Amino acid sequence: MGKWLAVLLATASFAACSGDNGGEGGEGGAAAGTGAGTPTGSGVGAGTPTGSGVGAGTPTSTGVGAGTPTSTGVGAGTPTSSTGASPTGGGNCTGGVDITAPGGNPFDGAELFVDPGYVAKVQSSIDKTTDAALVEKMKKVQSISTAFWLDRIEAVGQLSAHLDAALELQNQLCKPVTAVIVVYDLPNRDCFAEASNGELRVENGGVERYRNEFIAPIKAILAAHPNQRIVTIIEPDSLPNLATNLGKKDCTPETEKAYREEVAHAISELNMPHVYQYIDAAHSGWLGWPDNQTKGAQIFADVIKAAGNPAGVRGFATNVANYTQLSYSTESYDQQSNPCYGEFDYVDAMATALAGVGLGDKHFIIDTSRNGRGNIRADWGYWCNNVGAGMGERPKANPGGATRLDAFYWVKPPGDSDGTADKNAERYDLFCGYENADQRAPEAGFWFHEYFVECVKNANPPL
């Protein structure tokens, strides 16, 4: 363990839209969104970091930089500190680590924990690469924090060790270390997609299993780690589907009931002082149209109210596993009357819509893992392994650019496939066969070496 920590420490050195929404725009919101809705169908499945089968790597961390606190915010909770002793031994902070988040922002003033499993995946690509300059860029990716995906019940068994490692790093650095996890296993998951369908079905006891076998153990593990900051991204591609896709594919009344009640259950059960929750809120190409924003905001408000208005809901995550740029003036696809030209515009617009339903205090994070390049797809709704994509802005606290923006963060691990291109596969999705989708892709969540290489080469800013 001492050797492991020595490597670990050596690598932890850097610390409103407006416009009308016509018929075309409204439909575009559903189609682009639905398809885009599968945006995590795209990466969420990517949560399956275990799909690559590679072993553990060296955990590291990235600094997010200070930045000016924007508000006291919810989710700040009771200031706590680590004890200086990690559950796996080690630790040298005799006075403990104060994990209070400045302004309630869990990314501010913290090191962001790097998933050892992702480091190992990147290493598997390094081992296949002979271009020395490209290898150096890949090595830089190994120091960038990505989210740890809980996309099936089995994955929960890895969570405690993941958080233990983050806490041990915190006690070595004597400063807060923030770990980010994605909670993603709703019954009838991602109801408008095929590539990222989950293991639980409502008609087969999925609700009970979700509560008892998924959320309950996650709650117990988070409660057992009270002395560290933990961020949870809640159920990508769930509630936004209720705003645009009801009555289509698997988005049935039974699915709607499960989504509303189980997201409420999750955010209620995971409401703890040291846990900062961000509910998935789609992206500009899905809920960017004003009527979609209004529908989405009301659904979010209803679910949060049903959960008892938990203080731990810090805000919302946008662009999860998608490709929408932060801002732009031109794109290769038709805007379809959407007044939001990127995630900055969308966050500003959604903040206004949320204020209209009593959620004006909520904050945002934007997934920038693969949105470095624009003009790579023919339609806004194309979400599956888009050819030409590049890594975007690195994780950073308080980056500015939009309303109450807590951070840029890499929620989707670049290199994890969005979905298979094999038309004969059970989980094949039509979007993974479209002209802009890389046709070499494996199943969602499995490591896609060739795609990772392209994302590294196309990174903007460059690595």
Side-chain angles (χ1 to χ4, degrees):
M1 181 62 70
K3 179 180 178 182
W4 180 62
L5 284 170
V7 175
L8 181 152
L9 287 167
T11 55
S13 59
F14 54 95
C17 304
S18 62
D20 296 327
N21 182 19
E24 181 182 0
E27 180 62 26
T34 53
T38 343
T40 33
S42 78
V44 220
T48 331
T50 54
S52 70
V54 292
T58 304
T60 55
S61 64
T62 55
V64 293
T68 306
T70 54
S71 76
T72 55
V74 295
T78 305
T80 57
S81 63
S82 88
T83 61
S86 82
T88 53
N92 55 14
C93 295
T94 56
V97 177
D98 183 0
I99 65 167
T100 305
N105 183 353
F107 297 90
D108 195 354
E111 297 288 327
L112 298 184
F113 187 64
V114 175
D115 177 16
Y118 185 67
V119 173
K121 289 182 179 184
V122 175
Q123 186 62 47
S124 72
S125 286
I126 290 175
D127 294 342
K128 298 177 182 178
T129 303
T130 57
D131 184 323
L134 186 57
V135 165
E136 289 306 308
K137 291 182 179 181
M138 291 180 177
K139 288 181 178 178
K140 292 180 180 179
V141 176
Q142 288 184 305
S143 67
I144 298 174
S145 179
T146 57
F148 183 74
W149 287 73
L150 301 176
D151 61 349
R152 63 202 184 287
I153 290 169
E154 183 184 7
V156 179
Q158 305 168 38
L159 178 58
S160 186
H162 183 81
L163 296 178
D164 287 348
L167 180 58
E168 185 153 11
L169 176 60
Q170 175 172 287
N171 291 328
Q172 292 294 324
L173 298 179
C174 297
K175 67 176 295 185
V177 171
T178 296
V180 180
I181 65 175
V182 179
V183 177
Y184 179 64
D185 199 26
L186 272 180
N188 297 14
R189 188 177 73 190
D190 210 351
C191 62
F192 196 79
E194 280 79 29
S196 52
N197 290 161
E199 63 187 347
L200 303 178
R201 296 294 305 174
V202 171
E203 64 271 21
N204 293 328
V207 168
E208 292 75 15
R209 294 194 66 195
Y210 181 78
R211 292 192 173 201
N212 299 328
E213 299 177 44
F214 188 66
I215 294 300
I218 293 174
K219 176 183 179 180
I221 293 169
L222 299 189
H225 293 78
N227 298 319
Q228 58 195 117
R229 298 183 195 172
I230 301 170
V231 168
T232 59
I233 312 298
I234 302 297
E235 294 295 352
D237 289 346
S238 56
L239 300 182
N241 269 314
L242 304 186
T244 61
N245 294 325
L246 283 179
K248 302 172 185 176
K249 293 192 176 182
D250 200 25
C251 301
T252 63
E254 292 77 17
T255 295
E256 178 183 17
K257 182 175 186 294
Y259 280 17
R260 286 178 177 270
E261 293 182 357
E262 299 321 304
V263 171
H265 177 76
I267 62 177
S268 174
E269 290 294 291
L270 304 183
N271 183 41
M272 305 174 200
H274 64 297
V275 178
Y276 302 78
Q277 303 189 68
Y278 294 84
I279 299 171
D280 178 72
H283 56 87
S284 61
W286 189 347
L287 299 185
W289 289 263
D291 64 339
N292 289 352
Q293 292 168 25
T294 300
K295 292 176 185 176
Q298 188 60 61
I299 291 168
F300 299 146
D302 292 344
V303 169
I304 291 173
K305 181 179 180 180
N309 297 306
V313 177
R314 171 72 177 175
F316 298 88
T318 79
N319 204 43
V320 171
N322 210 265
Y323 300 83
T324 308
Q325 291 190 289
L326 295 173
S327 60
Y328 57 88
S329 56
T330 60
E331 255 291 358
S332 58
Y333 46 72
D334 181 2
Q335 289 285 142
Q336 302 173 32
S337 302
N338 188 339
C340 294
Y341 279 83
E343 290 306 290
F344 282 157
D345 286 347
Y346 175 61
V347 166
D348 287 341
M350 183 54 73
T352 298
L354 289 168
V357 292
L359 298 177
D361 62 337
K362 300 306 180 187
H363 294 243
F364 297 86
I365 62 173
I366 297 175
D367 185 355
T368 56
S369 58
R370 302 184 302 177
N371 72 343
R373 295 187 63 207
N375 294 297
I376 62 170
R377 47 186 173 174
D379 187 271
W380 216 335
Y382 289 2
W383 53 264
C384 191
N385 301 313
N386 285 309
V387 175
M391 297 169 178
E393 290 284 347
R394 315 306 177 245
K396 178 183 181 181
N398 299 317
T403 305
R404 293 186 296 280
L405 185 57
D406 277 348
F408 296 146
Y409 189 74
W410 286 14
V411 181
K412 163 80 174 187
D416 280 349
S417 174
D418 292 335
T420 180
D422 180 1
K423 293 179 173 59
N424 296 316
E426 182 180 354
R427 297 174 67 198
Y428 172 72
D429 191 292
L430 287 175
F431 281 88
C432 298
Y434 287 169
E435 64 268 32
N436 296 128
D438 194 314
Q439 295 304 294
R440 301 168 293 179
E443 288 279 5
F446 282 72
W447 188 246
F448 189 177
H449 164 72
E450 295 82 2
Y451 197 73
F452 173 74
V453 170
E454 294 306 309
C455 285
V456 170
K457 289 179 178 179
N458 295 329
N460 180 31
L463 288 161

